[in-house]
Amino acid sequence: MDNLRAMREAKYAAAQKRGAEAPTRPKAPVAPPLASTVKRATPAADAAAPAEGLCGHRNMSGRTCTREQGHPQKSHRYS
Ligand SMILES: [Zn+2]
């Protein structure tokens, strides 16, 4: 009887291993959103660093305003 149980447990362990190696892991879909959150946070941090002395305002296409920081002009200049 103990032998039978041991065999069953071994089979169960093997099945679990196979499940972990399967491509459809429940953890996989959770990771990408976290990574994209990190990516979204990084540009904001980057904007502060190279924009020292400059406005650094970013336009829609990701360019940075080249006017001086706190420029009186209402429009930003991207060149
Ligand atoms: Zn600006």
Side-chain angles (χ1 to χ4, degrees):
M1 275 305 171
D2 279 350
N3 275 352
L4 263 177
R5 197 189 296 162
M7 269 176 69
R8 227 177 278 154
E9 276 170 10
K11 268 189 186 173
Y12 180 73
Q16 282 209 319
K17 244 188 217 172
R18 247 177 279 134
E21 285 159 12
T24 46
R25 265 169 288 176
K27 275 182 186 175
V30 179
L34 274 172
S36 61
T37 308
V38 172
K39 270 182 193 168
R40 234 177 283 134
T42 311
D46 283 348
E52 231 171 286
L54 294 173
C55 170
H57 184 273
R58 289 209 170 192
N59 74 350
M60 304 254 273
S61 53
R63 304 192 108 194
T64 312
C65 175
T66 54
R67 290 193 196 272
E68 73 277 13
Q69 196 164 36
H71 56 80
Q73 295 90 343
K74 282 211 167 182
S75 63
H76 300 285
R77 188 175 60 194
Y78 312 101
S79 56

